[in-house]
Amino acid sequence: MTVNPPTKEEIDALFKQLKAKNSENRICFDCGSKNPTWSSVTYGVYLCMDCSAVHRGMGVHISFVRSTVLDSWSWDQLRTMKVGGNANAAAFWRQNGAGQMLSGGSAGDAKSKYTKRAAQQYKPHLAELAEQDLLKSSDKRVHV
């Protein structure tokens, strides 16, 4: 079954729902700034513009960054944001001994945060959650 890519309207509506559903998605995962408009698809977290620049500087092999407002998204990328989110990522980091990495810091701190063991373990965990969510979807689209 071929599914058309999400429209701009569907992308906007989904991000609006995800931010309304979880207040932690309304702040930057890295620095706590309000109303982030970027995200790391790799980790399913929301970022402010300044922190997104830090992520871009780390390279796509560490963190793939997209604008939640300007860029187009695939259904798989949107699903990662649905099952991820700032609260889920923070909980995973804490459960895996990296809670101290969650407070804001410098660019060097960010690179360290996303190359630590907990971050590397979170990527396959997030992929598994996305796969489970896909199996629940009758039309391969993302529903909140």
Side-chain angles (χ1 to χ4, degrees), residues 9-26:
E9 292 76 21
E10 288 171 317
I11 294 166
D12 291 345
L14 186 67
F15 279 117
K16 185 176 181 179
Q17 290 172 327
L18 291 174
K19 288 182 178 182
K21 185 177 177 181
N22 188 331
S23 63
E24 289 194 39
N25 291 340
R26 294 191 295 263

Side-chain angles (χ1 to χ4, degrees), residues 29 86-96 102:
F29 185 70
N86 292 0
N88 289 343
F92 188 90
W93 254 266
R94 285 186 196 99
Q95 290 167 359
N96 288 276
L102 295 175

Side-chain angles (χ1 to χ4, degrees), residues 20-141:
K21 185 177 177 181
N22 188 331
S23 63
E24 289 194 39
N25 291 340
R26 294 191 295 263
I27 62 168
C28 176
F29 185 70
D30 285 355
C31 75
S33 294
K34 292 181 180 180
N35 302 316
T37 57
W38 291 81
S39 67
S40 168
V41 180
T42 308
Y43 296 100
V45 296
Y46 294 84
L47 304 167
C48 69
M49 185 180 288
D50 290 341
C51 291
S52 74
V54 171
H55 279 249
R56 284 189 188 276
M58 290 189 284
V60 295
H61 63 289
I62 296 176
S63 182
F64 180 64
V65 179
R66 302 204 57 78
S67 169
T68 60
V69 178
L70 303 173
D71 289 327
S72 59
W73 288 70
S74 71
W75 288 114
D76 288 339
Q77 291 169 334
L78 292 170
R79 189 175 317 286
T80 299
M81 297 306 297
K82 174 189 173 187
V83 300
N86 292 0
N88 289 343
F92 188 90
W93 254 266
R94 285 186 196 99
Q95 290 167 359
N96 288 276
Q100 74 282 3
M101 299 299 295
L102 295 175
S103 59
S106 68
D109 293 339
K111 185 162 187 173
S112 175
K113 175 182 186 175
Y114 291 100
T115 55
K116 292 278 187 195
R117 185 171 179 257
Q120 297 311 304
Q121 291 175 322
Y122 187 60
K123 289 193 278 188
H125 174 74
L126 192 58
E128 177 60 30
L129 293 175
E131 182 64 28
Q132 289 172 7
D133 188 75
L134 176 61
L135 294 174
K136 294 177 191 173
S137 174
S138 60
D139 62 2
K140 309 285 187 220
R141 296 175 186 267

